[in-house]
Amino acid sequence: MSGGAGDQIPKEVFEETLLQFFAPIRPYLDDPAVSDIMINGPNQIYVEKKGQLHLVPAKFETKEQLIAALRNAAQFVGKHIDEMRPILEGRLPDGSRIEAVLPPAAPDGPCVSIRRFFKETLTVKRLIDFGAMTDETALALQALVASKLNVLVAGGTGSGKTSMLNALSSFIPEGERVVIIEDSRELQLQREHVCQLEARPPDPKGRGEVTIRDLFRATLRLRPDRIVVGEIRSGEALDLIQAMTSGHGGCMSTLHATYPRDTVSRLETMAMMSDVDMPLQALRIQLASAVNIICQVSRLQDGSRKITHITEVLGYDTDKNQYQMQDIFARQYHGFDERGMIISDIVPTGILPRCLPQLHEHGVDLPPGCYEAAKRGPIGTEHY
């Protein structure tokens, strides 16, 4: 039988069989409130709900039962794990991301983290409802994205970078062709004209690898209006910087960093992992002209995920050997409420970005609150 429903049955059977191997954690895989599942050997399993970790009673009967589940998960994504290759990066049938380290690299039994994949995409409205951003920050980000500035979403592990990038993608004007490059497919861009590319690891014999950098080079010839890279992890940072400076405006990506200052340093470090030999000074000048806006997200102490800064990168000062940046919005903290939740708000700093003329060229503008704050004068020290 070819091309009919019969082709679907084996895949569905395989998916169901795979999930049976994960029976002890199946209830948490099906629970929409669970965002992460962490397995530390067969007998200790934690889940994250609303940003807080909870130890749950679920257990795998033996270490072997857990390893068998992981072998099946590897097979599902066409990978192979054993003592010589003890690390698995893959995904489950529902799109959840799985990372596992097996013995002997994890002597006490497999260490596993499953980041849940939610079919319901977090829209800008939902993020405003959750308090991650305000109407005002959403309007500002919409103007910054629409005017084809290059935006990096940066934050620590589990801070909501992918959700934020998904939401920001809804601000890309319709009619633009967007090419997405990812290690494993997580982005669900809320738009029609999308070309989605996915990297692929080599097979057990070392064949068939397609790297992010390979895809990036191909993308430049796919006539993209926008390039979105799921996450920058290494040498592809330099390719992205060079694309940003060579007329590909409106690029977007995420990377791991805790503060805006760390974000540019980390991007610099990853660009240096590339095989291109470039003087450090030249790299820094190029990086500072490539990245326009950093949208910094964080998971606060109370488990809530918020935007903490919207920062403009102004350039690189060769005399002082430092990047010049200024916060356009910054989060202010006012202690805790009676439930132990952090009271905070994100406000315009009173500094108007230097990229304002580019916004006006695209027929967009910052919300009135930014201009009102500028009249009152800057708060704190937003230049650094």
Side-chain angles (χ1 to χ4, degrees):
M1 196 187 301
S2 67
D7 287 351
Q8 292 300 311
I9 295 168
K11 182 172 180 281
E12 285 165 10
V13 169
F14 186 31
E15 288 183 3
E16 186 50 45
T17 309
L18 170 58
L19 289 170
Q20 281 168 9
F21 276 94
F22 285 99
I25 58 164
R26 188 76 182 264
Y28 309 109
L29 285 169
D30 293 337
D31 183 349
V34 171
S35 52
D36 280 275
I37 302 166
M38 284 145 270
I39 303 167
N40 307 325
N43 300 318
Q44 190 185 61
I45 298 173
Y46 284 87
V47 302
E48 183 188 286
K49 286 187 174 187
K50 293 186 177 168
Q52 304 288 344
L53 292 178
H54 306 275
L55 181 64
V56 293
K59 287 178 173 53
F60 284 83
E61 281 172 28
T62 60
K63 198 185 287 191
E64 289 67 34
Q65 185 195 9
L66 176 53
I67 290 172
L70 295 171
R71 282 193 201 288
N72 274 270
Q75 193 183 345
F76 177 72
V77 288
K79 295 183 182 178
H80 185 76
I81 46 168
D82 55 27
E83 289 193 355
M84 303 303 290
R85 281 169 297 222
I87 298 174
L88 168 66
E89 270 187 43
R91 60 170 186 258
L92 297 177
D94 70 349
S96 293
R97 190 170 73 197
I98 181 166
E99 183 80 26
V101 182
L102 277 71
D108 297 334
C111 267
V112 186
S113 175
I114 298 171
R115 165 68 51 86
R116 295 291 316 288
F117 176 85
F118 295 104
K119 289 187 174 59
E120 180 208 5
T121 307
L122 282 176
T123 59
V124 172
K125 184 182 180 310
R126 293 293 304 279
L127 289 172
I128 292 170
D129 293 345
F130 289 148
M133 61 166 93
T134 60
D135 288 306
E136 193 172 45
T137 44
L139 286 169
L141 285 165
Q142 181 169 14
L144 295 167
V145 170
S147 54
K148 290 202 96 166
L149 293 166
N150 294 316
V151 180
L152 286 184
V153 178
T157 304
S159 57
K161 296 185 292 295
T162 305
S163 298
M164 187 59 66
L165 186 59
N166 264 329
L168 294 187
S169 74
S170 67
F171 295 144
I172 298 172
E174 281 304 335
E176 291 192 18
R177 173 173 167 79
V178 181
V179 179
I180 303 172
I181 305 171
E182 290 182 277
D183 254 340
S184 58
R185 192 166 175 169
E186 283 184 85
L187 288 172
Q188 304 161 278
L189 295 203
Q190 301 157 36
R191 51 189 316 95
E192 236 173 82
H193 194 164
V194 170
C195 175
Q196 201 134 12
L197 308 178
E198 190 173 17
R200 193 176 74 177
D203 69 7
K205 291 185 176 154
R207 298 170 309 193
E209 182 180 26
V210 182
T211 66
I212 293 267
R213 299 195 71 180
D214 295 333
L215 292 173
F216 202 97
R217 286 171 192 141
T219 296
L220 296 175
R221 297 193 180 95
L222 287 174
R223 211 213 75 94
D225 289 312
R226 304 256 178 172
I227 301 170
V228 178
V229 180
E231 185 184 341
I232 307 170
R233 292 188 184 182
S234 65
E236 70 274 1
L238 184 62
D239 298 295
L240 184 64
I241 288 165
Q242 292 184 327
M244 285 171 165
T245 49
S246 65
H248 282 277
C251 293
M252 299 167 87
S253 189
T254 73
L255 65 90
H256 276 269
T258 319
Y259 293 103
R261 167 73 57 214
D262 305 335
T263 300
V264 283
S265 310
R266 187 152 160 70
L267 188 61
E268 180 187 295
T269 306
M270 289 190 287
M272 287 160 67
M273 292 177 186
S274 143
D275 47 10
V276 177
D277 202 15
M278 183 190 274
L280 185 56
Q281 190 93 311
L283 169 64
R284 287 174 166 171
I285 291 166
Q286 200 172 21
L287 189 159
S289 71
V291 178
N292 305 123
I293 299 292
I294 296 167
C295 175
Q296 194 74 43
V297 293
S298 181
R299 188 172 69 173
L300 304 186
Q301 200 181 327
D302 59 10
S304 63
R305 293 170 171 86
K306 314 268 191 198
I307 293 180
T308 58
H309 303 79
I310 299 173
T311 303
E312 182 182 28
V313 181
L314 302 170
Y316 184 75
D317 186 328
T318 49
D319 295 331
K320 294 182 181 167
N321 280 335
Q322 64 181 30
Y323 291 97
Q324 294 175 300
M325 301 154 80
Q326 58 185 13
D327 294 337
I328 310 305
F329 281 83
R331 185 164 289 280
Q332 298 184 321
Y333 301 92
H334 314 289
F336 294 86
D337 68 10
E338 66 282 356
R339 293 174 304 137
M341 302 298 280
I342 294 170
I343 305 166
S344 69
D345 53 0
I346 186 161
V347 294
T349 59
I351 293 173
L352 292 175
R354 276 196 212 160
C355 60
L356 208 49
Q358 190 168 336
L359 271 64
H360 296 158
E361 276 169 38
H362 283 81
V364 291
D365 205 347
L366 290 173
C370 292
Y371 291 100
E372 287 157 20
K375 281 182 195 156
R376 291 194 296 272
I379 51 171
T381 54
E382 281 74 30
H383 276 278
Y384 43 90

